[in-house]
Amino acid sequence: MFKQVLSACLFFTVSSIASEARPYRISQARECNVTMPCDFSYSQTRRERVSRLQAYRSQQLTVTDAGNAATVVNVSGSRVVGGRPSGCPSSFCGCGAAIRVFGHIVPELNLASNWLRFPRTSPAPGMVAARRGHVFVLEQHLGGDMWMAYDANSGGHATRMHARSLRGYTVVNPRGSVS
C-alpha cells in the first residue's frame, strides 16, 4: 500500500512539473537563414515594436459613420495632461470630469454612473459621454463617432486628451437639471 501511494505521489509530481514546461524559441528575423545569418545587432525588442505600432495607430484612426462608410482621420497622438487631481479618489474619471466641467470636485459625481442622471443630448463640445464605470468630456468632433476627449483616469492613472469613440456611451448635458 505504501509503495502505491509513494509511486502515485511521484507520478503526480513528475507530471505536474512537465505540464509547466514552456517551449524554447529563439527569436529570429525572417530575413535570416543559413546562407545569410543575422548578428541581431539591429533587432528591435518587442516593446519597441509595440510602441511604434501604438504611435502609428494614434496618428491614424478609421472612422465609420451611420452608413458604414469608412474614412481615415489623422489626429495628433494622445497626450498626457495630468495625473490624479488632489482630492479625487483612486478611481477618478468622474471627479476629473467634474473638475473639467464645473471647475471643482462634485463628490456625488465621483461615481461615473451618477453622470447618467443628467438629461440625454446629442454630442457637442462640453458634453459628457458616460456609462457605468467610465466617463469623459467631449472636446472636439473628429468625424463619425470619434471625438477628441478629456479623459481622466484613461489608463495608468493618467489624464489624457485623446481620440475616443462614443460607442457604448450615453451623451449627457451636465448643465441640464439632474433627474
Side-chain angles (χ1 to χ4, degrees):
M1 176 71 176
F2 179 74
K3 227 179 192 181
Q4 291 174 338
V5 171
L6 182 62
S7 43
C9 288
L10 182 63
F11 175 76
F12 178 77
T13 304
V14 170
S15 64
S16 65
I17 292 171
S19 67
E20 294 295 321
R22 302 283 192 278
Y24 178 74
R25 292 186 184 158
I26 299 172
S27 64
Q28 189 172 11
R30 281 183 230 131
E31 305 87 47
C32 301
N33 57 33
V34 175
T35 59
M36 190 172 93
C38 293
D39 63 350
F40 296 106
S41 61
Y42 66 92
S43 67
Q44 299 173 344
T45 63
R46 183 181 189 286
R47 183 167 288 178
E48 288 171 345
R49 285 190 300 253
V50 169
S51 66
R52 280 190 181 174
L53 179 62
Q54 288 172 343
Y56 173 76
R57 286 182 178 165
S58 68
Q59 293 171 358
Q60 287 193 339
L61 297 170
T62 302
V63 179
T64 57
D65 61 7
N68 291 330
T71 57
V72 175
V73 178
N74 287 322
V75 296
S76 60
S78 86
R79 66 182 197 274
V80 175
V81 294
R84 181 174 63 89
S86 63
C88 287
S90 60
S91 297
F92 60 91
C93 63
C95 183
I99 292 172
R100 181 71 169 191
V101 171
F102 302 115
H104 59 88
I105 296 172
V106 180
E108 51 272 2
L109 294 178
N110 287 349
L111 186 62
S113 61
N114 286 346
W115 287 85
L116 295 171
R117 295 178 182 169
F118 287 108
R120 306 311 190 247
T121 188
S122 57
M127 299 300 115
V128 174
R131 65 173 164 84
R132 296 193 189 297
H134 196 62
V135 62
F136 56 88
V137 182
L138 305 179
E139 297 289 325
Q140 179 185 5
H141 187 237
L142 299 175
D145 67 347
M146 297 300 295
W147 281 78
M148 186 60 69
Y150 178 84
D151 195 359
N153 202 15
S154 60
H157 296 289
T159 299
R160 290 181 177 80
M161 288 288 290
H162 62 147
R164 289 292 309 253
S165 170
L166 296 180
R167 227 174 267 155
Y169 287 87
T170 302
V171 179
V172 297
N173 181 357
R175 289 163 192 84
S177 61
V178 178
S179 56

